[in-house]
Amino acid sequence: MKKVLIAAMVLTLSMTFMTSCRDTKDKAEEATEEAAETLDKAGEDLKEAADDAADAMKEAGEKALDSIKKAGEETMDAAEKAGQDMKEAAKKAIDSI
């Protein structure tokens, strides 16, 4: 009877150990899958951030070009007006002579 009891105890411990090992393996697999998903998500987030930064830089460049173009146009308009004013002043000076 003593041998049967010891065998039952050993069998119970073996089953407990096997179940524990299987749980540990399952948990390790879950952790690995979660880590892979987290890395994928981080990669997507980094790509999105890089795309957003590129878009922002492109937009800033376009705005800078627009500002430069507008300033150039305003300078040309002012120069043209100054030229016309000088022409009129010269014409008046000639007429007064």
Side-chain angles (χ1 to χ4, degrees):
M1 184 67 169
K2 194 175 185 181
K3 289 182 181 180
V4 172
L5 184 59
I6 292 173
M9 288 175 61
V10 168
L11 183 59
T12 302
L13 286 173
S14 295
M15 292 296 288
T16 302
F17 179 73
M18 287 174 48
T19 304
S20 175
C21 287
R22 188 174 338 134
D23 288 345
T24 301
K25 179 185 172 239
D26 292 344
K27 287 180 182 178
E29 286 176 355
E30 282 180 36
T32 301
E33 289 174 7
E34 287 178 11
E37 290 173 6
T38 301
L39 286 174
D40 285 343
K41 178 84 169 103
E44 291 171 6
D45 290 345
L46 285 172
K47 183 183 182 310
E48 187 176 320
D51 290 344
D52 289 347
D55 290 344
M57 289 176 67
K58 181 179 177 184
E59 184 177 334
E62 289 172 356
K63 286 182 180 180
L65 287 175
D66 288 344
S67 295
I68 291 169
K69 181 180 176 185
K70 185 177 179 183
E73 289 172 354
E74 289 174 357
T75 302
M76 289 301 293
D77 289 345
E80 185 177 326
K81 185 175 184 308
Q84 288 175 356
D85 290 347
M86 290 176 67
K87 183 179 177 181
E88 287 178 25
K91 189 175 184 180
K92 285 181 184 178
I94 291 171
D95 288 344
S96 68
I97 296 179

